[in-house]
Structure formats: C-alpha cells, structure tokens
Amino acid sequence: MTQSSGTIVVASGDLARYPGFTVSLLHLLRPHGTEWRFQVGLNVAASLNQGIRDMAGDWVWIMGDDHILLPDTLVRLLVHEVDVVVPVCVRRTPPFIPVIFHEPLPGDPKWKFPPWKWSQLPKEGGLHRIYAAGSAGMLIRRHVLEKIGDPWFEVGQQDSQQLNEDSYFCTKLAHAGIMLHVDLDTWIGHVTPSVLWPAKRPDGQWTVEIKYDRYMTMQLPLGAAEKGWGNYAG
C-alpha cells in the first residue's frame, strides 16, 4: 500500500531543549513528500493552529519536543487509515497514567475527561476507540480538520473551568461525531526532566524531594530513598 504524504507539525518553545527528541526525529521513517512545520516561540495552541493552516498533503501529525520516537511510529499510525489516531503516551509527572481518557461522567463538565488506568487497557493490543487523548503523536486526516474548522486548538475558561488545547480539540471531535482511536501497539516516550533535592520534614527527618521541571514537586515517603526507586510504587 502506498501511503499519502502529509505534514509533521512540531510545537516547541526551544528545539534545542531535548536533544533526544531531535535525534529520534531525524531517524523517523515517513512517506516520500512529507513536509515539516517547526513552530517555535508561540504557545502550544497557537503553534498547532499555525502549523495546520500551513499544512501540505492529506494528513497532519502533531508532536511536541518533549517526546522520544521509535523510527516506525508514524508509519504504524498511517497504516490504520482512520480519521484520528494516537499512540500510547504516559503522563510526564505523577501519577504516571496513560494520556487517554473516557467520556465525561453524567453531570460533569463536557471537557472533564476521566483518565484510563493501565489495568483498563485491553491486553490484546490493537486499535481501540477512546473519547479523548493528549495531542502528542496524534495523526489527523485533512478532511477532519476541514470539517471541525479553525481554530482547532484553543485554551481558556469555560463555565469557570480551565480548558486546555487538547480538551478543546477532543470536544470538537465529539461534537462533530468523529471517532478517535488509540493504537495500543504503538508507543512514544515522554521526557520527564527532574531534579533530586535533599529535604527536611517539619519533624526533622530527612527525605528526598523530586522537582519535575516547573510543574510539580513530589516528596518521597520516609525510607523510600534507601529502598530504591524500584521498590517505591507511589
């Protein structure tokens, strides 16, 4: 089967931030004629929207600069020929859960998506329908983008709730009746830069604090540092 060409859109604040991403991108297999759009310096939503407006070909593949890719990631997703598909990705800070989501529960805001648990993922792998997902690694066909319209990604407040760009896009998909799938046999890595700090509790006992980039701080339970990370389940 001959795969059509498309556009890879990379949203990045600084392309030199994670060299491992750049190296994995250079080794990425892709159909002949695939183009690149590197959107640097804008917020994520604005970067993705501009990259899509400038796209060429029949599909767009969205990627952030804090991921590591296997060489066949893109071609594995293209084989499915579905409207929208994502690989399995892990949240970069605790809890380390899949970045895929269920439909909102009755009574909850339409953009509040309950996350899947690892135990809920089908063991047989393959392609499965989901309600929402993070945009990293998301492959979207051109006709989908034309149907739901610009802007595709947006951030802001709705009904006193903060709405991120991924929630906005997935909500637009749902309203348009477009199915989103996850390929459980295709995975991408998520870079999680962290710094370990000595820390003293109010009772005087020492422990270790893990600072994940600028997003959050997590303190290890007493004794976890001596036991080793492999024995610490969270």
Side-chain angles (χ1 to χ4, degrees), residues 196 201 207-210 218-225 229 232:
L196 303 179
R201 294 173 181 264
T207 185
V208 175
E209 256 184 9
I210 306 176
M218 188 180 97
Q219 198 169 87
L220 290 180
L222 293 175
W229 182 258
Y232 173 57

Side-chain angles (χ1 to χ4, degrees), residues 61-64 66-67 86-87 89 133-139 166 188 190:
W61 191 48
I62 293 171
M63 186 51 61
D66 58 345
H67 293 82
V86 296
C89 184
S135 59
M138 183 178 286
L139 178 71
D166 298 339
I188 59 174
H190 207 165

Side-chain angles (χ1 to χ4, degrees), residues 9-13 37-40 43-44 47-48 62-65:
V9 175
V10 179
S12 173
R37 299 289 184 271
F38 293 97
Q39 302 297 142
V40 180
N43 66 57
V44 174
S47 293
L48 295 179
I62 293 171
M63 186 51 61
D65 66 356

Side-chain angles (χ1 to χ4, degrees), residues 22-194:
T22 304
V23 172
S24 67
L25 200 61
L26 291 173
H27 290 88
L28 185 72
L29 300 174
R30 54 199 182 275
H32 178 73
T34 296
E35 297 192 8
W36 307 83
R37 299 289 184 271
F38 293 97
Q39 302 297 142
V40 180
L42 302 174
N43 66 57
V44 174
S47 293
L48 295 179
N49 287 330
Q50 190 57 52
I52 292 171
R53 292 182 193 117
D54 296 338
M55 72 176 286
D58 297 328
W59 49 263
V60 65
W61 191 48
I62 293 171
M63 186 51 61
D65 66 356
D66 58 345
H67 293 82
I68 305 296
L69 314 171
L70 297 176
D72 63 348
T73 302
L74 175 58
V75 294
R76 290 173 68 96
L77 296 175
L78 283 168
V79 166
H80 296 301
E81 298 188 319
V82 294
D83 289 336
V84 189
V85 60
V86 296
V88 180
C89 184
V90 186
R91 192 173 183 264
R92 66 180 293 179
T93 56
F96 298 115
I97 54 177
V99 192
I100 55 176
F101 304 91
H102 297 283
E103 186 174 359
L105 297 172
D108 279 352
K110 61 185 178 181
W111 51 86
K112 184 178 180 181
F113 311 136
W116 283 65
K117 299 178 181 179
W118 292 109
S119 59
Q120 294 174 320
L121 299 184
K123 294 180 179 179
E124 65 272 17
L127 200 65
H128 294 269
R129 184 177 178 182
I130 56 176
Y131 189 83
S135 59
M138 183 178 286
L139 178 71
I140 313 166
R141 304 290 174 169
R142 177 183 283 276
H143 68 267
V144 170
L145 298 166
E146 293 173 346
K147 182 174 182 178
I148 65 176
D150 188 351
W152 300 277
F153 294 88
E154 195 61 88
V155 294
Q157 294 280 335
Q158 287 194 13
D159 300 338
S160 301
Q161 297 290 325
Q162 183 65 31
L163 182 66
N164 66 34
E165 64 275 357
D166 298 339
S167 300
Y168 182 89
F169 178 78
C170 292
T171 299
K172 291 192 77 169
L173 286 182
H175 287 173
I178 296 170
M179 290 192 295
L180 171 61
H181 291 84
V182 61
D183 178 359
L184 296 181
D185 299 317
T186 303
W187 316 325
I188 59 174
H190 207 165
V191 179
T192 176
S194 60

